[in-house]
Amino acid sequence: MSIAAEARPVPTADWVTIEDLYRNPFPIYRKMRAEAPVHWVPAVNRYMVTSYEACHIIEQDQEIFSANETGSLMKRAMGHSMLRKDDPEHDVERKSYGSTLRPRAIKETWNAIFQENSNKYLARLKAAGPGADFIWEYAAPYAAENLRRIIGFENATQEDLQRWSQTMIDGTGNYADDPEVWAKAEQSSAEVDIAIDEMLPRLRQNPDASLLSGLADMKIPLESIRANLKMTIGGGLNEPRDVLGVAAWALLSNPDQLAQVLADPSRFSDVFDEAIRWVAPIGMYPREVTRDSVLEGMALPKGARLGVVLGAANRDPKQFEDPEVFNINRAKKPHLAFGGGVHYCAGAWVAKASVAAIALPQVFAELPSLRLDPGHPAVDAGWVFRGMVKFPVLWDRK
């Protein structure tokens, strides 16, 4: 990664707007990636990295590409979590989560809770009747209640988790610096602090399998516990919610692939992997360059603020054939939807278990006539975070 005389200057993409990115970033990413792997984008005040290889290089080198970004929106919205730290500080806090989110705990504790919650919110969707919104009647409350139980918030509701998550996530993506967005994020941050402070002494007296219980007696500063749990409220809710919504939408839009999966339900695992590649729920995150460097032939100065665009990397034609197409039969290749390197998402196993093993199979088994509503099209949106914002569905009542 030494400076090379032949390094190219980074082109400027002054034609990119936040509004266009929010509506549909993928044509923008295609155009940028075809020209260069990195662009300076004035609208978001950072260099956007769009090629798979460049994003992968960044993931593997925290010495040059630091997670501890100066002026981080995430730090402002949620505090200084492990996601904005490098090793060794990151490693200490990552290990503080212990075994709570690992496959053994999922099998022994969380799967039964996921099933209970899926039963509850699928019944709610059915009660709402044909025309109900799949995201807001099922996927969002299901993901939120799962997360509430995992964290150990006995003193909050899934509605609280949804509100906290969305308003703090809006803060982390507030590149327009909207003061109303900051006010809502700050209010939620304060409410989460109160909830954490109430639960820690309770869980010291009555420990359970939750994250908060595991953290209660650890020698981790309270501010770190607060910041890390706020980070978990963000990614731990929107990732499973959005991949569940996108996966259902993709299957209903591709009946031939849906038929394959219904004939072999083990393939819901392939659906999950393809959905999270096709539309990465966390579409971009920041890094900061610690010294003058060259990334895939592009010169980057010390202090450059990067946007690592997973939503673009996962559709790079150099890595994936026909990347714009949802295809559960594509050749297996690694994607970056859960990040990589030391910052690989700690909740990846939880997301896949709750969505691929429980939610999707149950939804399609219990609603065999589930279909899109042609009179009310589904809508996906976002770029820093992306998922379904409207998803009306129809089915035949028995």
Side-chain angles (χ1 to χ4, degrees):
M1 293 298 296
S2 60
I3 291 293
E6 64 273 16
R8 291 187 288 155
V10 175
T12 297
D14 54 9
W15 48 274
V16 174
T17 69
I18 290 177
E19 292 76 17
D20 287 343
L21 284 168
Y22 180 82
R23 189 179 310 110
N24 182 5
F26 299 114
I28 296 169
Y29 297 158
R30 284 197 300 274
K31 181 177 178 180
M32 293 169 70
R33 199 174 45 230
E35 182 181 20
V38 184
H39 284 74
W40 169 251
V41 183
V44 298
N45 194 33
R46 67 180 56 238
Y47 296 86
M48 291 180 70
V49 183
T50 52
S51 78
Y52 182 94
E53 181 60 25
C55 291
H56 178 68
I57 289 169
I58 291 168
E59 290 276 17
Q60 303 302 316
D61 192 342
Q62 60 180 322
E63 181 183 341
I64 294 177
F65 304 106
S66 174
N68 191 13
E69 184 194 40
T70 304
S72 163
L73 297 183
M74 186 178 194
K75 289 182 192 175
R76 179 172 173 181
M78 299 181 175
H80 197 173
S81 75
M82 66 176 87
L83 270 190
R84 292 296 164 262
K85 295 180 181 179
D86 302 312
D87 288 339
E89 293 81 8
H90 162 268
D91 186 57
V92 171
E93 295 186 17
R94 171 76 174 241
K95 287 177 178 174
S96 74
Y97 272 38
S99 60
T100 305
L101 306 180
R102 293 190 171 274
R104 181 174 177 178
I106 293 168
K107 181 179 180 180
E108 293 179 353
T109 302
W110 303 121
N111 274 340
I113 290 171
F114 298 160
Q115 186 62 66
E116 173 189 327
N117 292 336
S118 183
N119 294 343
K120 176 179 179 178
Y121 292 107
L122 190 52
R124 171 170 144 170
L125 177 69
K126 292 176 182 178
D133 193 296
F134 182 83
I135 296 299
W136 306 114
E137 295 294 343
Y138 175 69
Y142 170 65
E145 182 63 11
N146 289 344
L147 185 63
R148 186 188 73 80
R149 297 286 295 275
I150 288 169
I151 291 178
F153 278 135
E154 298 171 13
N155 55 346
T157 65
Q158 62 88 2
E159 290 88 354
D160 291 328
L161 269 289
Q162 286 198 60
R163 176 169 48 80
W164 293 341
S165 178
Q166 192 59 57
T167 51
M168 290 190 296
I169 276 178
D170 288 346
T172 68
N174 191 19
Y175 290 92
D177 200 26
D178 184 331
E180 184 177 345
V181 170
W182 285 128
K184 291 179 179 178
E186 288 162 8
Q187 176 63 33
S188 290
S189 178
E191 290 178 21
V192 174
D193 287 345
I194 292 169
I196 290 170
D197 293 352
E198 286 179 354
M199 285 308 305
L200 286 174
R202 280 198 224 176
L203 289 166
R204 289 190 188 102
Q205 295 298 317
N206 299 286
D208 59 21
S210 69
L211 267 177
L212 269 170
S213 182
L215 292 166
D217 289 317
M218 286 194 177
K219 298 187 184 305
I220 302 290
L222 179 59
E223 286 308 308
S224 293
I225 291 174
R226 288 172 169 175
N228 288 331
L229 285 174
K230 289 169 193 174
M231 173 267 295
T232 303
I233 290 168
L237 196 159
N238 84 297
E239 272 194 328
R241 177 198 67 198
D242 291 342
V243 71
L244 174 52
V246 165
W249 178 51
L251 286 174
L252 295 176
S253 303
N254 293 275
D256 55 333
Q257 295 184 58
L258 176 57
Q260 291 180 55
V261 176
L262 294 179
D264 179 6
S266 70
R267 299 213 61 194
F268 278 113
S269 177
D270 297 331
V271 172
F272 178 92
D273 290 336
E274 176 65 351
I276 207 166
R277 177 209 67 83
W278 187 53
V279 180
I282 297 178
M284 189 190 83
Y285 61 77
R287 289 290 184 265
E288 185 170 309
V289 180
T290 60
R291 59 176 181 262
D292 290 350
S293 303
V294 175
L295 177 66
E296 275 217 284
M298 312 299 292
L300 292 173
K302 177 181 178 180
R305 301 170 75 230
L306 308 181
V308 184
V309 189
L310 305 182
N314 282 348
R315 293 195 179 195
D316 189 335
K318 292 182 180 178
Q319 177 71 5
F320 304 100
E321 185 177 355
D322 295 327
E324 304 293 329
V325 174
F326 177 86
N327 178 13
I328 64 171
N329 301 305
R330 70 172 61 253
K332 297 281 187 185
K333 286 191 175 181
H335 59 71
L336 296 175
F338 286 120
V342 300
H343 287 94
Y344 185 81
C345 178
W349 290 300
V350 164
K352 191 163 190 177
S354 64
V355 172
I358 292 174
L360 286 172
Q362 184 176 10
V363 165
F364 284 97
E366 295 194 17
L367 294 172
S369 60
L370 191 70
R371 58 191 182 273
L372 302 175
D373 183 345
H376 300 89
V379 177
D380 58 330
W383 62 288
V384 179
F385 302 91
R386 188 168 184 86
M388 310 304 297
V389 293
K390 291 182 181 178
F391 190 4
V393 288
L394 301 175
W395 65 90
D396 300 331
R397 288 187 185 273
K398 292 181 179 178

